[in-house]
Each structure stands twice: as C-alpha cells, then as structure tokens.
Amino acid sequence: MKQQHWMDRFVTQPTLPIVLSVMICLAGLWSVAKIAVLQFPKIESASLVIQTQYVGASAHVVKGFITEPIERVAATVPGVDYVDAVSKAGTSTVTAYLKLNEDSTRVLAELTARLGQVKHLLPSEAEDPTVNVTRADRPHALFYLNIEHRNVPLTQLTDYLSRQVTPILTGIEGVQKVDIEGSRTPAMRVYLDSERLDAFNISADEVFAALRANNTIATLGFTETNKQRIDLVANTQLKNVAEFEQLVVRQFNNETLYLRDIAKVELGSEQPQVSARLDQHDTVYISVWPLPGANEIAVGDALYAMTDEINQTLPDGLRINYAYDGTLYMRDALNEIFTTLIETVVLVGVVVLFMMGSFRSAAVPLITIPISILGAIAAMYMVGFSLNLLTVLAIVLSVGLVVDDAIVVVENVARHIRNGENRINAALISAQQLFKPIVAMTLTLAMVYLPIGFLSGLTGVLFKEFAFTLALTVILSGVVALTLSPIMSAYVVPEGGKENSLTRRVNDAFDTLKNHYQRWLLKSLNYRQQVIFVALALSVLVIPFYQGSQKELAPVEDQSSIFVLVQSPPESSLAYNEQHIRPMVDRLLAIPGTTQMWQNIFTNSAFGGVEFVSASERDYTTKSILPEVYGRLSQSPGINPLPILPAPLPTAGQFDVEMVVRSSAPYEEMKAYADQLIGKAFASGHFLYADTDLKIDLPQIEIQLERDKIADLDMDLAYVSKQLSVLLSNNYVNRFDADGKAYQVIPVVNQNIKSDPSRLLSLPIKGPDGSSSIMLSSIATIKWQTVPRQLSSFGQQNAFRIFGGVLPNSTKEAALTALENAAKELLPPSYSVDYAGESRQLRTQGNSLLTVMAVSLMIVYMLLSLQFNSFRDPLVVLVGSVPLAMSGALMLSYLEFTTMNIYSQIGLITLIGLIAKNGILIVEFANHLQQENMTRLEAVVESAATRLRPILMTTAATVLGHFPLMLVSGAGAEARNSIGIILVAGMAIGTLFTLFVLPAFYVWLASKRESESTQPHSQNVALA
C-alpha cells in the first residue's frame, strides 16, 4: 500500500463521488429543457444592402453619381469585410458584407451616419438611399407562405395582407422582415394622352405641378377655447379615381381643363416587379426572413402556431399554406443525428459488455456516458452554447471517448482483485496508479481542440462550440473516472474465482491473446530497426495521401431541394418570363420524387426551388441527379436556367464557384477575358455549367438632343429632360391616402407610345413661351446601342464574376483551382483575382485547420513532456503512433471514400488525441516498470502486454461507437460520414501500429529511468 493520496477520499468516502455525479446529472437535466436548438452555432453573417432609386437614369449615370460615392463610404465603415456593387438603369445596389459575428446594429448606425454626410453629393432627383440588414448566408427567405385565393384581385389581396397579416407575422420574435412576393401594391395611375396634351397646349411638367399642388397634405394645427381644443383638417388630399379626374389642371377663357380631359385615371398598381407561382398556379407568397443569428427552429414553431390562428380569421376563399420551409432540413438533420447518438450509445454498451464479460463491470464505463453528456450540456448552457448539428455531433463522438478512462479503471481494479487484493485496496491502488495517466490522457484529448476555439472566420465560429463541447465532455469523463469509477469498480467487479462463466471466458480469451501478443511483440522487437524504417516510410505517406485527396470546404448535403436561378434575355418582360418558365416547371416536376416547385419571377430573371421527398424515400441524391436536372433545364428555349444545390455551410453567395476579376479597365475590354475564362472552365472538365455576370447585350435607346436647336428655341437641356422624365420615367409625383395607407400617384405616357419606341419622337415638348409645343423629333434623334446589363464593381473597382456549378464527380476546390490557373494564364498584370461566396471561405479558411493540427501536436508534446518529465518520451507517443494513424486515415480520403474537408480535418485532430491516449498508457506504465529495475526492452514488453486489454477495449468502443457515422444516410449524413470514416480507419490502423511500432520507438528513444530507491530528491528533466 502506497502513501496516502488526496484522491483516496473518493474511495474511502463513497458518498462524495456519488453526490458529485448526481449534482452533475441534475444540472444537465435542467439545462436540457432550457438550451436553444439551432441548425448551426449562433452566427451573425450579415450584409448591409444600400439601394438607391434614380428613375430614368442610365446604368453609367447611376454608377458614377450614386454607386461610387456610396461605395467609398461603405468601404470605410469599421466591421465591413468587403463591398460589392451593381449599377443598373435606375437602380444602385451596394452591398457591404460584414465580418462574421460583427454587430450589425452598430455598423448600420455608423453607415447611416456616414451616408448622411455624403447625401449632398447625390443627385437631387434620386430617392434617398435605403439600408437593409440581410442575412449574407441566405439569399432567399427562410419561409415562403403560399396564399390560396379564389378570384380575389391581386391589388385587393396585397392590400388585405399588408393590413391584416404581415403586421402580425412581423411581431414574431426573431423575425427581421416580412415581404409579400408577387404583390400588386395599389397605385393611382394617370395615363397621359400626348395628342390631347398637344391639342390643349399643356406640357407634361404642368400636369406634374398640378398633381403636386392639388393633392397635398395640410397641417393646419388646432383651435383652442377655454373649454376645448379642436384639431383642424382640410380635404386637400385626393382619395379616389373620381376626385383625381376632377383635378383642375388649368383654367383659361372661362373654361376649366380637368385631368380627365387629358388623361385616363384608374386605380391600378405600381409597376409589377415579381410574379409568384406554385407549380403552375399563380399565387402570392409571404416571405419571412429571420434576423441574423436568430433561433430559426423557434421562429418556425412560432410561425406555424401564428398561421394556424390567422387561418381561422381569414375571409372565405383565403388560406395560408407553406410552399417552402427552410427549417425542415434542420429538423430532419437534428433528428437523424439524435438517432445516431442513440445507436452509438447502444453499440458502445454492447462492446463494453462483451469485452468486460459482466453486466456489473460494464456498468462502470456505461454510467460515465450520461453523466459526462449531461454535465457537458449544463456547461454548454452556462456559457451560451446551443444544441446544434455540430455540438450534437461532438456529443456523438464523445460517446466512444468518455468510456475509455472508466474502462482503464475497471480493468485495473479487476486485475488487482484477481491478484489477491481486497476491493478497497484494489480501488485505492488503481486510483493512485492511474491518476497521472488519466489526467494526461484527458488533458491530451481535450487540449487538442483548444486551438480550434481561437480560430477566426467561419471555421472558428462554427467549430468553437464543437471543440469546447467535446473537450468539456472528455474532461468530465476524466473527472468521473477518477472519482466515481474506482469505488464503483470495487463493489461491482467479482472477486477472483467468483466470476461468472462469461467473465471467465472473456478473461481467458484476453489472457491467451496477451500471451500470443507478447511473443509476437518480442519477435518484432528483434527486428526493431526494420520496424522503425517501415514505420517512418509509412508515416511519410501522409504527404502524398493528403495532396492526392480531393478537397472541399464541406461535403455537399442532400437537403431534398434544388434551387433554380433563371437568366432571361436582357429585353425580356415579366410576361415573357412567365410564359417561358411554364414548360420548364413541367419538365422538372416530371422527375420521380419531386413534390412541388415554387417560383418568384422577375422582369429579367427568376428564382425558385424544386422540392423532393425525403432522402429515405428516394434511391438517388440531389447531387447525383443534378446533371439530369440541368439537362431538363437546358431544354428551355429563350431562357437560361441554372440548378444550384443549397450550401452545406452558412456562407454568402449562391453558386459552387464564384471568382471575381477586378480591374480599372472598361467593361468592353473585360468582356473578352470573361468569355475566355468561361471557355477554360468548360474545358477543365470540372464544371457542369459556367457563366459570367458581365453581359453586353442590353438594347438601349439614346435620345440624342441637339443642343444648338434647343438653344435656338430659348430652351435648355434641363427643361427638355424634365418634361421627358415625366412622360417616360414612371416616377411617382406624390402619394394619396386610402383608408389610412399611402399609395403612389404615377403619371405615365400612353402605353401605345412606350410599346412602340419609334413613336418616341412624336412626343410633344412645351415651348418656352408656354403657348406652343414642338415635336421631340425637331430637337432630337434616336440612336440604338448595346450596353452591359449591369455594371458590377468589387472593392471599388470594375469587376465581373465567373460562377458555375460543379460536376458531381469533381469538387469545388478542384474547379476553383482550374479557374485560378486559367486566370493566371489569360489575365494581364493589371487584373487581379478575388473571391465571393463559398469560394471566398474556401480560400480564406480551407487550410486553417492544418495549422490547428500542427498547434495541437505541439500542445500534446508539451503536455506529455510535463507528464513524463522528459522531452524524449513524448516523441515515442507522437512519432510511434500518430503519423501512422493519420496515414491510415488519409489513405481512405486518397482512395476517394471521402474528401478532405473541415469535418474530416476535425476527425484528424480528434485522431491525434485518441491514438495518443493508447501510447500514453504504454509509455507511462513502462516508465514505472523501469523504476522497478527493468530494462527499457523488458519494461515496454511487459507494459504493452499488461495494457493490451484496456487498449483493445477502448479502441473497440471508439471504432464501433463511431461506426454508425460511416453508415448513416439522410439529412446531414455526408458530414458525419466524412468524420466517421477518418476516425474509424485511423483508430483501427493506428492501434495496430501502436501495439507493434510504438514499443520499438520506446526502446530507441525513451529516457532511461532509475529505480525509485536510487533517485535523488531533486530530479532534473530526463534528456537522455
């Protein structure tokens, strides 16, 4: 019996570890009911979208006068990662992408203040910039609610929904905004008749002024007497068609000219921008957008409850259904991973039971599982973590790890009892013997994850909770193993000779295996130089295996949906797209397994999604069927539809690959390089499709005003352009009140003029004297030209994007690399390459975990140096086991059983700690045996043979515990497959090498230990 150890009280006072374990469990049970449930760790990936309308202005004017000043401001705001912008005719859109987890409220306030400082630089005719906070990692809403409506006009439906429904949904906690897609917002449209304007000698500007002067808001204040105060109002606002028709435009010769005399007035809608469809049925969607970082599942639960209540109050013929629910995949993925957790617990339990040979003995490591998991959940809740796909995955991984320490304890106690010690002494001896190795193993496994928690960017944000959850669980398992397991083992392990038949058979089998192993090990150590050479050669294979593995940021998941982005001709209209999309929808819905297709159709594009039955009900994945989907989409004449798989991680962007090319060169020059890069992309064999956003094919009419003629008529360009703007721009003059809501008043030229551009020159322009009109043709001509559809910029430089979808047999990394190589070959030095979307994350975060791996190895080395009091002994563990395990794991990624992604890299980091634990058991006990006057060879042979059973038991628990990860299917399966393959292969191969290779390295490298009786009181670090 050794001297008293402070851990002995957990054996001599058994109530202490029991109470401690019960308290941990109670805290965990309380936290389970409180902790948030999300798809990914809470992450704020936000962007600020600054939109400015300048109706009637060309794209070049918008870019120079609006986009560029706003870009300069946005780029200087603290917290902004990068800025891109798109300038189109009449519209400027500047998007400032924030750094991850940046406070969007603070950045919004700063940006708004700075926009106010440059407002004077913007044209006075432009509307004020509007700034919206959007989720950068989701370009579409989380929910699309389909509104069933029977013969209800869209203007009435829009008005009803905006008054009665959307205000209620906006009040749900976590909802950022609620929009109506496919709406027709009411507006008073005034269709001016140019011939009547000419006949009455009325200019468009006069009509504009009359509408402003006779439809205004009067703020009269109030009158007050000694007894009461009365508000004063006046009927200065027009409210319906009849009142607008009666609006006085001019009075002359005792005659009154009313608006009805020169225009047709009707209550219509604003210019339609979006049409919504579900399958082939026209509809209206209510889109619900959550706040960045919101609990989306909680938002969905609240939304479903709210819509059920609203449906009970809707008029007959109206009902709210769900066309798209983005939380379905999250829920399925979480259900799948919880199922995997249960399977893992059962498998580990079976493994422990059969390898212990006793239900009583198996209870010791098995009880560690719930205590460690519940304790970890309690700690997660206290530090603000959530239950999400990654933290639950960490818990699944921990099931195979937390039993390891307890297995070592119960096996050690059982061995001492079989050798004749009484129960309490066996527990005390084991607690003292195993304290240092268990602390070392626990800290080693926990600390390998420490560097992950300090990573920046997407990888750091996503995997911080994963790493800390796994580390917390492992630490708690070590606490349980040191406190509860010794005394529990003492009471459940049968005394020598009293084991049941199963226990005896298991013990005999392990004894036989131990004897055989000891003989094999001695034979291999006779050739230890050859063993070391082969081991080093196999270790070097880590490099080619890694380099030859396919790489990607994350494996593509089957989310039971495929998005479709439709590009249409530049001159297309809303009606054109509606007509051409109908046959495309029929072809997609003919694919077996589809359920529906929702669509949002715009004037020059469309966006939608094909929904499939769950993965378990199909014999294909969405990734495998993507080429067939693209083939069906390619049969759509007149439009260019592109299929997009949902991103596996919360990243900005839409496409698999998005490379940005920047330059100060004109767009016409950049177009040639864009076309060449697209050709190279297709030639690479990695792309299903590739395209660019730089398209110079938009027809444009330039009205060329003749300055001399205008000056001869005593007019100026501003006078002429102002009249043309009123006639042609569709801009609104003011608003009118309709039952408490304000809608636009829009004067517009007759449609027969707008639909026939050749008649533009017949427009009348009021002369400077106000008494005569001239035809536009007398002062202007028309010139047709072709211009870019949009003018894009990135980082305040002219830019274009090359984007594309990747073939199923390739990866995003390979496709992006091929595109980068083509850019190096084609682009001149004045051009530079940048990235957007997932490609940006791939280039900034793709190899960050390799650095973590190196740092983790260094941390393990330093911890083991402290543990062994030697700088050489840790090399035995790290060189003798870790590289070989990693070679075995990487061999499977090299053979394309999986890819090298952030999940498989996490698996490699986990493997470092797991395989090092086995090495620690052998080296720690061998050092102890050296102190009992054994040679290094004798010590390592005896240590390896003695520790064979716990090593095999912990390896079997880890391998079979993680085996379900290799076989899972359904939502979120690809990530779990990836990490499972790495761990199972690496652990199985690494353990085999550890048992035979590590002893050879021990004999070669290990420090020589003196007997405890001969050691001086002051020990130095063992360097030899």
Side-chain angles (χ1 to χ4, degrees), residues 301-314:
D301 292 340
L303 185 63
Y304 273 94
M306 188 65 71
T307 51
D308 286 342
E309 294 180 13
I310 294 174
N311 275 331
Q312 298 175 9
T313 65
L314 293 178

Side-chain angles (χ1 to χ4, degrees), residues 830-848:
S830 58
Y831 284 62
S832 62
V833 169
D834 211 320
Y835 307 94
E838 190 172 343
S839 297
R840 190 174 185 87
Q841 295 298 333
L842 187 60
R843 282 294 170 261
T844 57
Q845 303 291 317
N847 294 322
S848 59

Side-chain angles (χ1 to χ4, degrees), residues 641-903:
L642 303 174
I644 305 169
L645 289 174
L649 293 177
T651 59
Q654 292 180 314
F655 296 96
D656 293 340
V657 173
E658 293 185 56
M659 189 179 78
V660 181
V661 177
R662 301 190 299 170
S663 175
S664 57
Y667 291 99
E668 289 74 17
E669 177 187 312
M670 300 176 77
K671 173 63 174 166
Y673 293 113
D675 292 340
Q676 292 180 60
L677 286 172
I678 292 172
K680 290 286 187 180
F682 280 113
S684 70
H686 295 289
F687 285 87
L688 178 65
Y689 61 85
D691 205 348
T692 179
D693 63 350
L694 179 54
K695 292 180 169 61
I696 305 179
D697 58 359
L698 179 66
Q700 184 182 80
I701 296 175
E702 181 181 354
I703 301 176
Q704 296 185 317
L705 299 172
E706 299 185 33
R707 301 171 185 269
D708 292 340
K709 291 184 178 181
I710 292 174
D712 290 342
L713 294 171
D714 200 23
M715 295 188 295
D716 54 37
L717 294 179
Y719 179 81
V720 175
S721 62
K722 186 175 183 180
Q723 294 190 56
L724 290 175
S725 176
V726 174
L727 289 169
L728 300 175
S729 69
N730 268 12
N731 203 356
Y732 71 96
V733 293
N734 52 21
R735 298 175 180 271
F736 74 100
D737 176 73
D739 298 325
K741 290 186 76 71
Y743 296 116
Q744 294 181 358
V745 179
I746 305 173
V748 63
V749 72
N750 274 347
Q751 291 300 105
N752 59 351
I753 296 287
K754 297 203 71 175
S755 61
D756 183 4
S758 64
R759 299 184 62 185
L760 287 172
L761 292 177
S762 64
L763 288 172
I765 301 297
K766 186 74 171 176
D769 56 3
S771 60
S772 61
S773 296
I774 59 173
M775 303 294 287
L776 180 60
S777 58
S778 64
I779 57 173
T781 57
I782 286 178
K783 177 186 176 182
W784 287 85
Q785 57 189 10
T786 303
V787 297
R789 296 190 190 186
Q790 63 182 42
L791 304 179
S792 300
S793 55
F794 192 98
Q796 302 183 66
Q797 282 187 298
N798 293 348
F800 65 84
R801 297 192 188 200
I802 302 294
F803 54 83
V806 176
L807 287 166
N809 61 354
S810 184
T811 63
K812 299 171 186 177
E813 162 69 26
L816 181 58
T817 300
L819 204 54
E820 289 171 331
N821 292 335
K824 291 177 183 177
E825 176 187 339
L826 294 173
L827 298 178
S830 58
Y831 284 62
S832 62
V833 169
D834 211 320
Y835 307 94
E838 190 172 343
S839 297
R840 190 174 185 87
Q841 295 298 333
L842 187 60
R843 282 294 170 261
T844 57
Q845 303 291 317
N847 294 322
S848 59
L849 286 175
L850 294 179
T851 305
V852 169
M853 208 174 302
V855 175
S856 296
L857 283 169
M858 183 57 65
I859 290 175
V860 171
Y861 176 79
M862 290 187 291
L863 283 174
L864 295 182
S865 297
L866 293 173
Q867 166 68 18
F868 298 137
N869 195 33
S870 167
F871 289 123
R872 295 176 62 176
D873 289 354
L875 294 177
V876 177
V877 176
L878 296 181
V879 179
S881 59
V882 172
L884 294 166
M886 294 180 69
S887 287
L890 286 170
M891 180 178 65
L892 292 189
S893 66
Y894 178 78
L895 297 175
E896 298 186 2
F897 285 91
T898 185
T899 61
M900 190 48 50
N901 54 69
I902 57 177
Y903 291 101

